[in-house]
Amino acid sequence: MIGQLHSVVIDAPDAHALATFYAGLLGMDVRGEPGDDWVVVTGAGYRLAFQQAPDLRAPDWPDPERPQQFHLDVRVADVEVAEPQVLALGARRLPGGGGDFRVYADPAGHPFCLVWDA
């Protein structure tokens, strides 16, 4: 092993707002303030970082001209319970999905999936 993963870093037009979205989705804590160029969320041994990118060209799922750039799979016990919660946080449902996942966009347009054991 050469190293260990320290952070997954996500560009956002508003780093604090997107960090707050993922903190709410994942039950994590936000370290940073509105207007900060770098905001971190932590919890349960995990860390996500968000960096200010005011000119971010958001992905447009599933358009290959504007690819997804990254995505997170978030395991849930019951998607019918989880979906309204993520929508209330500011996510929106995207086309696609399958027997054990649904695709959404975070408030900055990055796709993520809710996954469960089908």
Side-chain angles (χ1 to χ4, degrees):
M1 172 175 62
I2 294 173
Q4 294 179 319
L5 180 65
H6 179 62
S7 297
V8 173
V9 181
I10 302 168
D11 287 353
D14 183 333
H16 188 269
L18 195 58
T20 299
F21 169 83
Y22 277 104
L25 174 63
L26 301 170
M28 299 170 82
D29 297 315
V30 178
R31 289 192 292 153
E33 300 296 327
D36 286 354
D37 288 339
W38 183 266
V39 181
V40 175
V41 298
T42 59
Y46 299 103
R47 171 186 158 112
L48 294 172
F50 300 84
Q51 64 183 1
Q52 198 71 21
D55 297 325
L56 177 72
R57 187 170 179 233
D60 188 15
W61 176 269
D63 182 358
E65 293 297 315
R66 293 177 54 195
Q68 64 179 327
Q69 302 164 4
F70 86 99
H71 81 269
L72 300 176
D73 288 341
V74 178
R75 182 172 300 280
V76 297
D78 184 339
V79 71
E80 300 305 333
V81 171
E83 181 173 85
Q85 294 172 334
V86 300
L87 296 176
L89 286 172
R92 62 186 165 85
R93 180 92 185 260
L94 296 177
D100 61 353
F101 72 99
R102 290 184 189 167
V103 184
Y104 302 84
D106 68 24
H110 302 104
F112 70 95
C113 295
L114 295 182
V115 300
W116 63 92
D117 294 327

